[in-house]
Amino acid sequence: MKITIALAAFAAGFSLTHTAFAVDIPVTEDVMTSSFFQGTNTVRGYASESNRPVMRVSTPGAFGNAGAETIYLSFNYDFSMFAGPVVATLTMQSVEGGFGADASAGNPFTVSAHGVNADPLASITDDTNPAGSISWLDFYNSNILAADSAAITTVNCTDCAVTFDVSTLVNSWITGSNAIQTIALTGKNDTSGNDILHGFLNNDNGGVLQGATYLTVTAVPEPETYAMLLAGLGLTGWMVRRRKRQG
């Protein structure tokens, strides 16, 4: 009877731990801004465009330019399906940026994933959005939030996957403390003083899905789930040892 109870407790704990699930969420829209973009076309890389397979992130003030090249990633997804805390990882594909100024093992680049306090696609003035209320540079300076320390990554390679721990940011989307489901990828936290223009694959280039940018969101089981599992394991182990002594 006791063994049956122990096994039931173990099974219940095992089952509950497996209620945790991981979901891969592709980016809905990814675009970039840059001081190199002249005229009214200041936001580029929309899915409807087919001439920008690679986007870039730069160090601040690279080559004497104002601001920094920044990638904005927008996720149109119902995060309310997650009832509790999650672990969230952003994955992007690092590639050559096309200007010979990429990060490398000898020239590493600190890239960070930030939340924002306004929607860049709706806010930045551009030929796609002439009703926008702010320039790309003012948005860069004023509307990008500080990055969580876990969301800061050193990039030192091309043709490799790069990941960012964006758990704090995604949990703020779930709780509603930040309603803007956009990530800004920047070099704001790089202090090397180097001129780096590093490339990342555009996820959707003119309708061609390259599948390089996505969030992996994993639900975290509640503490009582682990307690039940450990209790079941402990009771099972005790009963097995007791039977051996009796035998």
Side-chain angles (χ1 to χ4, degrees):
M1 177 64 178
K2 289 183 178 180
I3 289 182
T4 301
I5 294 173
L7 289 174
F10 169 77
F14 182 82
S15 175
L16 283 170
T17 58
H18 280 67
T19 60
F21 58 94
V23 179
D24 286 338
I25 303 168
V27 64
T28 304
E29 186 72 86
D30 49 346
V31 298
M32 69 169 287
T33 57
S34 170
S35 58
F36 291 107
F37 298 163
Q38 300 299 309
T40 60
N41 188 10
T42 59
V43 181
R44 304 184 186 182
Y46 284 97
S48 58
E49 301 173 3
S50 59
N51 61 346
R52 191 160 297 278
V54 174
M55 296 191 289
R56 295 185 306 274
V57 174
S58 78
T59 46
F63 299 100
N65 290 293
E69 295 189 311
T70 300
I71 297 175
Y72 294 101
L73 311 168
S74 176
F75 293 88
N76 182 14
Y77 187 83
D78 183 8
F79 286 91
S80 66
M81 66 177 292
F82 298 99
V86 300
V87 174
T89 302
L90 171 67
T91 299
M92 300 188 69
Q93 182 65 31
S94 169
V95 294
E96 292 183 2
F99 286 86
D102 295 287
S104 64
N107 191 29
F109 178 26
T110 300
V111 181
S112 43
H114 305 246
V116 295
N117 59 16
D119 180 357
L121 302 184
S123 302
I124 297 175
T125 305
D126 173 62
D127 59 354
T128 305
N129 181 42
S133 59
I134 190 171
S135 71
W136 74 267
L137 183 57
D138 286 341
F139 191 97
Y140 171 83
N141 288 326
S142 303
N143 296 96
I144 296 177
L145 305 174
D148 182 70
S149 59
I152 301 173
T153 295
T154 299
V155 180
N156 55 17
C157 60
T158 54
D159 194 24
C160 62
V162 178
T163 60
F164 302 83
D165 183 344
V166 291
S167 301
T168 297
L169 176 55
V170 173
N171 279 307
S172 75
W173 298 346
I174 293 170
T175 62
S177 61
N178 185 342
I180 311 299
Q181 294 179 185
T182 297
I183 297 173
L185 205 68
T186 82
K188 278 180 174 283
N189 286 283
D190 187 272
T191 57
S192 66
N194 297 326
D195 293 323
I196 297 177
L197 307 174
H198 192 83
F200 291 93
L201 273 184
N202 186 343
N203 193 67
D204 187 343
N205 182 46
V208 178
L209 292 175
Q210 301 183 115
T213 304
Y214 57 92
L215 283 173
T216 301
V217 181
T218 306
V220 179
E222 298 296 329
E224 56 266 25
T225 299
Y226 290 112
M228 183 175 291
L229 174 61
L230 291 173
L233 287 172
L235 186 54
T236 302
W238 178 80
M239 290 301 298
V240 169
R241 290 193 297 272
R242 184 169 180 271
R243 282 208 156 191
K244 284 184 178 180
R245 287 197 299 269
Q246 289 177 342

